[in-house]
Amino acid sequence: APGTMSGSGSEESQPNQAAEDGQQEAEQDWAAAKAFYENLVTKRPRPPKPQNAITVAVSSRALFDLVEEQRIYEEHGVEKYVEYQQNNENVTLKPGPAFYFVKALEHVNARLLELYPDDEERFDIVLMTNNHAQVGVRLINSINHYGLTIERFCMTGGESPIGYLTAYLTNLYLSADSEKVQEAIEAGIASATMFTANKDVVYSDTQLRVAFDGDAVIFSDESEQIVKEQGLDRFFEHEQLNENKPLAQGPLKGFLEDLGKLQKKFYAKNERLNCPIRTYLVTARSAASSGARVLKTLRSWGLEIDEALFLAGAPKGPVLVKIRPHIFFDDQMFHIEGAQKLGTIAAHVPYGIAQKYHKST
């Protein structure tokens, strides 16, 4: 690199210089790609830069129902699986657990493009699959059948997707494979394992609804550790003593923040009452004894949540039936299974102390 320094500081400065050079080259690449794309005549919006977008990476088994195909893969191996997919590439795949969530993201994008036609701050959905490329035609045919806008595909042919998730600056990764989700969480990527609801439910097609558990999802598992190790009374005491000390952030805090940023774009255009995003906190905490710390933490982060439901240990399933979220994030399989039974699409976040008690299968 020009101007290379000598002496003790050179080892530190060179990686920084390399990172800056890499950033400049990446910017030049994007500028060239943008210029090329703008010379083409198309009505489709250009996919946004990962730096500007809220990138949601979805696996093929989360987006589509591939239960039968997965069975063939497990019982007969990869060659038979690929052959089956190729023989059925004109048979449209049925929706999987993340399908209606993705549709709702696309509705938000359509509304954002109406209000901000030149803005790139919107959702970019990437299909992140360890399928082999030969299966791609069936996936593309199914995506086109449903009119989904998924332009970016990563087909890793059995390799781990983590490097690609990092390269795409992924804001959220949804998969049906709990091991990959665990790997992503450990790499610092907001991630969850998708579970299909046990009943068919009608979801809103005009408003994206996202429900979050609190501890070990939006917040760290600090308070959950006290419950598990010292019991509920000590937890209540701890939360009241620390009411004015914000909780540390959890793995999904960034995604809640992303949703909040997009909501503000609608509010800025006087669309608060007609906002296509609604967020819910659904927590087993009780309001009087441990609710204030949660609300004060959100306030300290500058985050608004539309509805906060403190259930004081009551099951979450019945409340979720009323909300009908496109996705509900929780760190405990007990709550995931309860939500599933009553028809909620749930996503397990394998983070924090609860994982020692309930291993996801």
Side-chain angles (χ1 to χ4, degrees):
T4 303
M5 288 171 64
S6 60
S8 61
S10 65
E11 284 164 24
E12 283 177 35
S13 62
Q14 280 173 342
N16 292 343
Q17 185 62 47
E20 277 175 36
D21 290 348
Q23 186 61 39
Q24 270 184 326
E25 282 170 19
E27 286 296 327
Q28 285 165 359
D29 280 353
W30 273 102
K34 184 172 189 281
F36 175 78
Y37 201 98
E38 281 169 355
N39 285 331
L40 304 173
V41 178
T42 175
K43 289 194 171 74
R44 276 179 180 252
R46 193 169 56 85
K49 269 178 163 180
Q51 293 95 311
N52 302 335
I54 295 160
T55 301
V56 177
V58 185
S59 80
S60 54
R61 284 201 292 144
L63 185 61
F64 294 119
D65 177 351
L66 287 162
V67 172
E68 175 60 19
E69 288 77 0
Q70 184 67 10
R71 187 189 63 73
I72 291 166
Y73 172 73
E74 285 168 5
E75 291 178 10
H76 303 287
V78 69
E79 296 306 325
K80 285 274 181 243
Y81 166 80
V82 169
E83 186 187 324
Y84 178 87
Q85 291 283 40
Q86 287 181 314
N87 289 341
N88 288 277
E89 59 189 31
N90 295 317
V91 179
T92 303
L93 291 162
K94 290 190 170 61
F99 181 88
Y100 294 103
F101 174 65
V102 166
K103 288 280 281 185
L105 298 181
E106 294 201 343
H107 174 71
V108 173
N109 277 353
R111 291 278 309 274
L112 281 167
L113 281 164
E114 283 170 17
L115 297 174
Y116 300 93
D118 300 318
D119 195 335
E120 289 198 321
E121 195 175 28
R122 60 181 187 272
F123 296 109
D124 186 23
I125 297 127
V126 176
L127 188 74
M128 187 69 64
T129 171
N130 71 334
N131 263 301
H132 292 260
Q134 299 90 311
V135 179
V137 174
R138 188 175 191 198
L139 295 171
I140 289 166
N141 286 346
S142 297
I143 282 165
N144 288 337
H145 171 84
Y146 292 111
L148 299 174
T149 308
I150 301 177
E151 304 289 4
R152 301 195 215 270
F153 268 42
C154 279
M155 307 192 73
T156 67
E159 293 298 307
S160 166
I162 302 301
Y164 295 100
L165 293 171
T166 307
Y168 275 103
L169 308 178
T170 300
N171 299 76
L172 178 67
Y173 170 52
L174 300 173
S175 171
D177 184 329
S178 61
E179 283 178 21
K180 289 205 183 68
V181 166
Q182 184 71 59
E183 203 185 330
I185 287 269
E186 284 163 12
I189 296 161
S191 186
T193 311
M194 298 293 301
F195 289 88
T196 308
N198 293 355
K199 293 180 180 174
D200 283 340
V201 172
V202 177
Y203 300 96
S204 171
D205 54 8
T206 57
Q207 186 178 60
L208 167 67
R209 295 179 189 170
V210 184
F212 299 88
D213 176 32
D215 296 296
V217 174
I218 297 174
F219 313 113
S220 77
D221 69 334
E222 166 204 331
S223 302
E224 220 160 66
Q225 285 182 32
I226 292 166
V227 174
K228 296 276 193 266
E229 289 163 4
Q230 300 175 43
L232 214 47
D233 291 342
R234 178 73 190 89
F235 162 74
F236 291 145
E237 195 182 307
H238 176 268
E239 292 307 281
Q240 284 171 333
L241 280 172
N242 290 283
E243 187 181 306
N244 294 312
K245 182 188 170 198
L247 288 149
Q249 67 179 49
L252 267 292
K253 183 244 184 175
F255 187 63
L256 175 61
E257 219 163 16
D258 293 330
L259 295 175
K261 269 193 290 189
L262 293 186
Q263 283 178 313
K264 285 191 173 74
K265 292 170 90 82
F266 288 99
Y267 303 165
K269 299 277 190 178
N270 291 323
E271 293 278 312
R272 184 179 277 268
L273 295 177
N274 194 23
C275 182
I277 302 170
R278 195 161 183 83
T279 55
Y280 304 80
L281 173 69
V282 181
T283 171
R285 284 177 178 247
S286 46
S289 47
S290 59
R293 190 177 185 197
V294 160
L295 296 177
K296 287 183 176 181
T297 298
L298 290 169
R299 190 190 301 159
S300 79
W301 291 345
L303 286 182
E304 292 179 29
I305 201 142
D306 295 308
E307 297 188 29
L309 299 122
F310 294 93
L311 301 183
K316 296 183 179 183
V319 165
L320 291 165
V321 169
K322 169 76 176 72
I323 295 169
R324 292 193 180 176
H326 293 92
I327 196 164
F328 164 59
F329 295 102
D330 202 295
D331 66 307
Q332 301 202 50
M333 282 306 296
F334 166 75
H335 291 307
I336 297 285
E337 286 156 6
Q340 254 189 304
K341 273 180 201 151
L342 294 177
T344 295
I345 288 175
H348 178 242
V349 181
Y351 174 85
I353 194 166
Q355 307 323 304
K356 291 179 187 173
Y357 293 81
H358 293 285
K359 277 285 177 203
S360 75
T361 51

